Amino acid sequence: MSASVPLRAFARRGTTSIGSKVPKRICRASYSSSLTATRSRCAATTLPNTRSAVRTFSTTPRRYLASVDETFDPRTVERESDEVDVCIIGGGPAGLSAAIRLKQLANEAGNEDFRVLLLEKAGEIGAHILSGAVINPIAVKELFPDWLDEANENRFEHATPATGDKMKFLTKSSAIPLPAPPQMHNKGNYIVSLNQFTKWLGERAEEVGVEVYPGFAASEVLYKPDGSVLGVATNDLGIGRDGKPKDNFERGMEFHARVTLFAEGCHGSLTKQVIKKFDLRRDSQHQTYGLGVKEVWEIQPEKFRKGEVVHSMGYPLPLDTYGGGWLYHFGDNLVSIGLVTALDYRNPWLSPYGEFQKMKQHPLYRSVLEGGKCISYGARALSEGGFQSIPKVAFPGGALIGDSAGFVNVPQVKGTHNAMRTGMLAAEAAWSALAEGSEESSVFLYKYEDSLRKSQVWKELKEVRNMRPAFQTPLGALGGVLYSGLEAFVLKGRVPWTLKHRHTDYEATGRADKYPKIEYPKPDGKITFDILTSVSRTGTNHEEDQPVHLQVKDWDAHTQKTWPDYKGLENRFCPAGVYEYVEDDSKPLGVRFQINAQNCIHCKTCDIKAPHQDINWAVPQGGEGPKYYLT
């Protein structure tokens, strides 16, 4: 359907060159507003096919020898555009599964010209992916039945079969065995690095003909005159911190599609916009979140128990805070260790990062880590709202898939299989809708909404819907544990009621003078680490001279509203040392709010937990952020 020839020359696969120059037809967009669109005009262009870790192509001439007092509005530069059948925003398990399924259907139908394009903000596929992770293989088996078959030369080679489950309740110095609920039994599941698994999916996507564009940060949703989604635009490059174009300015690019699938993961910046525009939460509750903080260690061989899965609850988190820890033995002498802290915690002195460091000193975990070496660190927010918080997933011109909509099964401590399955359901719905509709009419994926409600994803989340909100009832944490046990072993969701989430995460935050201050032990540099040492293990990087992507309209006003009541909450909830309050006698409150955007690891916690909701996480330049390893 495209009026332009594909830009496959620029679909990146690492840093390997695949040619020198390829003639392509590029469509030049004749508008800049996201609310109106006209047909683009196409012009033949020859583009250099250079490859690097960040975006390398643009048809915008670079601005050399620019005058320092030159007034120039970047929006006056026309953006180039490309037209595809389906555009997918996000290269995680959901987006890649949708892309692969679409191309499988197209190839089976003999329609090899059906274009599926995937944009990923990380410089490499998988570089921003982090999870536990023990995965249920049901979805990947559907995509690739031979995904582990030794006869398949492209099989996934890094899956460790789960061999046993342990559940512990921790006090400060002891670990009390608990029966693992049925939802947490992992027979038939696999421990993986989701970072490695996603890279593998990316390779499979390219094999079937998906156009994969890492290093492209989609920053704007484009709309047709009728209000339906037209596609997305990537952000401009070469904009200084002051908002003015530099001499290396390059205009962003537009990608127009008949269907746009948003697979940004938890709390995506564009997902927030489409949820608001189309009122997708009109029949659901708000989303709730947790923050997962994780390390990967290489441990002594005699301590390694391949395939063992350990979960814990209790210490170090306070009784009124939902969350828990994990320790997974995988690969060769590797363990994944982490802590999820629900972001509806009340005490503003609490630090999820600090709680994780405390947890590692517990004998259950320290005994495994001692003598080992930490080789990787990362953190990310995850959706915990479950069934009650699933929004409408389809809207004119597109849909939400994976954790953009929130399909994590919190009691199972799993979400990858649901992310992949919803991506595949949306792909099948999009294929049908595009086959049945005309090229000029807007597409609505009715079939996706319908098939989702008939799917195992819906059944699975409905069954456990009351477990997480049980911890917000007047019965407290103990009541939540008891009720969840009753649901897990007896009721299994077969009750006529659905418990509600009582508040958003930011509304739950209490004032600092109402809660005891928490002092965290000094890191020992062997088991526990200071936050900047941990951030150095993420490989994160951002160009300093660019607009701050953690958007606070007025830093002084933020300080006036937030510091008196919360005394530096931002510094404690951020797992990357992005936010600081620096002593400054020239300021009315004696402190100055500071954002160290270069440290950001794209976890989105600030956007979720800020008490006044005045921090907006937006995408930085494409290719920036963490470069995770084995996470």
Side-chain angles (χ1 to χ4, degrees):
M1 56 86 55
S2 174
S4 61
V5 176
L7 296 176
R8 291 189 179 90
F10 308 107
R12 267 168 271 192
R13 302 173 182 88
T15 59
T16 306
S17 175
I18 58 171
S20 56
K21 284 180 179 285
V22 182
K24 300 293 173 188
R25 277 171 60 83
I26 308 297
C27 294
R28 188 177 302 279
S30 56
Y31 62 92
S32 59
S33 170
S34 63
L35 297 177
T36 61
T38 61
R39 293 296 291 179
S40 57
R41 61 186 187 274
C42 297
T45 308
T46 299
L47 300 176
N49 192 17
T50 311
R51 307 296 290 279
S52 72
V54 295
R55 185 171 77 174
T56 58
F57 81 83
S58 171
T59 55
T60 304
R62 292 195 172 196
R63 301 175 63 249
Y64 295 107
L65 305 176
S67 170
V68 293
D69 62 352
E70 180 182 356
T71 59
F72 171 69
D73 184 353
R75 292 172 296 180
T76 62
V77 178
E78 294 177 327
R79 288 191 289 213
E80 308 299 339
S81 72
D82 191 17
E83 295 185 18
V84 299
D85 293 285
V86 179
C87 181
I88 299 170
I89 316 305
L96 288 164
S97 297
I100 291 167
R101 186 67 187 126
L102 276 162
K103 285 301 290 186
Q104 286 176 339
L105 291 167
N107 294 343
E108 289 166 7
N111 186 358
E112 294 184 1
D113 291 331
F114 185 86
R115 294 189 62 196
V116 179
L117 181 142
L118 183 145
L119 303 177
E120 165 55 39
K121 62 185 175 67
E124 299 176 4
I125 294 295
H128 289 179
I129 298 295
L130 178 143
S131 186
V134 180
I135 65 168
N136 181 333
I138 186 171
V140 67
K141 283 182 177 179
E142 189 173 338
L143 268 185
F144 301 109
D146 61 348
W147 76 295
L148 294 179
D149 191 337
E150 291 191 5
N152 175 14
E153 64 178 12
N154 292 322
R155 68 187 180 278
F156 182 64
E157 298 180 341
H158 307 290
T160 301
T163 58
D165 297 287
K166 292 182 179 180
M167 183 73 185
K168 306 284 187 179
F169 182 85
L170 304 186
T171 64
K172 187 172 183 179
S173 58
S174 63
I176 303 167
L178 295 175
Q183 291 82 3
M184 298 183 74
H185 291 173
N186 284 295
K187 183 178 180 180
N189 296 332
Y190 294 87
I191 307 170
V192 302
S193 155
L194 202 62
N195 160 266
Q196 289 182 321
F197 180 72
T198 303
K199 286 181 181 178
W200 176 81
L201 281 177
E203 293 166 359
R204 304 291 77 74
E206 290 189 323
E207 285 176 359
V208 296
V210 178
E211 300 171 50
V212 180
Y213 287 56
F216 285 74
S219 61
E220 180 183 350
V221 184
L222 305 174
Y223 299 96
K224 297 178 182 178
D226 64 3
S228 62
V229 171
L230 170 68
V232 297
T234 60
N235 54 10
D236 297 337
L237 302 184
I239 301 291
R241 193 178 180 92
D242 59 3
K244 297 179 181 179
K246 298 184 291 185
D247 63 358
N248 63 341
F249 168 76
E250 296 179 12
R251 192 74 162 107
M253 185 168 180
E254 297 187 1
F255 294 91
H256 303 173
R258 296 183 65 195
V259 172
T260 304
L261 300 179
F262 292 85
E264 298 178 288
C266 177
H267 209 65
S269 53
L270 299 187
T271 300
K272 290 187 301 179
Q273 297 176 30
V274 296
I275 287 176
K276 182 177 181 180
K277 177 176 176 62
F278 296 108
D279 193 19
L280 300 181
R281 291 206 180 279
R282 58 188 178 273
D283 297 324
S284 67
Q285 282 206 274
H286 57 268
Q287 187 60 262
T288 66
Y289 303 90
L291 174 62
V293 182
K294 171 183 179 174
E295 291 173 349
V296 178
W297 284 65
E298 184 177 3
I299 62 171
Q300 295 173 334
E302 61 269 23
K303 297 179 180 181
F304 183 64
R305 298 181 291 274
K306 193 164 189 170
E308 184 173 273
V309 175
V310 180
H311 290 105
S312 68
M313 58 187 301
Y315 183 87
L317 295 176
L319 281 177
D320 63 352
T321 301
Y322 185 84
W326 77 80
L327 184 71
Y328 305 152
H329 295 246
F330 74 107
D332 294 321
N333 302 321
L334 298 176
V335 293
S336 165
I337 179 173
L339 175 70
V340 174
T341 303
L343 289 177
D344 64 347
Y345 65 83
R346 296 184 178 279
N347 187 343
W349 298 105
L350 186 146
S351 162
Y353 180 85
E355 296 295 315
F356 173 54
Q357 300 304 313
K358 281 173 61 178
M359 187 191 82
K360 290 188 293 176
Q361 293 285 18
H362 190 279
L364 176 71
Y365 294 106
R366 186 181 180 96
S367 62
V368 176
L369 301 180
E370 277 185 318
K373 178 184 179 181
C374 180
I375 59 176
S376 191
Y377 166 81
R380 59 158 287 192
L382 61 148
S383 301
E384 290 191 345
F387 184 77
Q388 294 90 319
S389 300
I390 300 173
K392 299 292 184 184
V393 292
F395 47 85
L400 307 178
I401 59 177
D403 213 21
S404 284
F407 295 112
V408 174
N409 186 323
V410 175
Q412 276 193 14
V413 201
K414 290 177 185 62
T416 302
H417 64 298
N418 285 343
M420 296 179 69
R421 189 72 190 101
T422 56
M424 294 156 65
L425 291 173
E428 290 161 1
W431 175 257
S432 297
L434 293 177
E436 296 166 1
S438 71
E439 291 226 359
E440 300 304 320
S441 61
S442 295
V443 175
F444 195 100
L445 302 186
Y446 295 102
K447 184 180 176 182
Y448 176 38
E449 289 277 8
D450 185 55
S451 61
L452 174 63
R453 282 159 178 74
K454 295 175 181 177
S455 71
Q456 182 62 30
V457 175
W458 196 264
K459 179 179 181 294
E460 181 183 304
L461 293 180
K462 186 174 183 181
E463 182 177 303
V464 300
R465 68 190 182 280
N466 288 326
M467 292 190 183
R468 173 66 182 91
F471 287 79
Q472 294 183 351
T473 68
L475 297 176
L478 180 58
V481 171
L482 294 174
Y483 181 82
S484 293
L486 184 64
E487 280 278 5
F489 290 101
V490 181
L491 301 177
K492 299 184 178 180
R494 295 169 299 196
V495 294
W497 60 82
T498 296
L499 300 179
K500 301 293 184 182
H501 301 297
R502 291 176 169 245
H503 43 65
T504 62
D505 294 335
Y506 66 88
E507 289 173 333
T509 312
R511 289 176 41 161
D513 59 1
K514 301 295 184 183
Y515 289 87
K517 190 172 183 178
I518 301 174
E519 298 287 351
Y520 290 97
K522 184 178 179 180
D524 61 18
K526 297 178 181 179
I527 301 296
T528 57
F529 309 99
D530 65 85
I531 201 163
L532 294 183
T533 297
S534 292
V535 171
S536 72
R537 295 186 174 119
T538 68
T540 197
N541 181 60
H542 299 83
E543 183 182 339
E544 188 168 354
D545 188 15
Q546 66 173 303
V548 176
H549 68 279
L550 306 151
Q551 298 171 348
V552 178
K553 290 182 179 179
D554 186 324
W555 292 18
D556 289 335
H558 175 88
T559 304
Q560 291 289 337
K561 289 191 298 182
T562 309
W563 173 261
D565 286 343
Y566 303 104
K567 295 294 187 289
L569 166 74
E570 305 92 329
N571 182 45
R572 293 182 289 274
F573 66 50
C574 176
V578 169
Y579 299 98
E580 289 184 274
Y581 283 93
V582 182
E583 291 185 7
D584 187 339
D585 293 337
S586 69
K587 297 293 183 180
L589 296 177
V591 292
R592 170 172 48 84
F593 183 58
Q594 180 168 304
I595 300 176
N596 305 309
Q598 301 95 315
N599 289 7
C600 181
I601 56 176
H602 299 199
C603 73
K604 318 286 181 64
T605 304
C606 53
D607 198 314
I608 296 165
K609 189 63 174 173
H612 301 293
Q613 289 294 278
D614 54 354
I615 301 177
N616 179 55
W617 191 96
V619 290
Q621 293 181 156
E624 298 187 338
K627 190 175 182 179
Y628 284 139
Y629 170 69
L630 287 175
T631 53

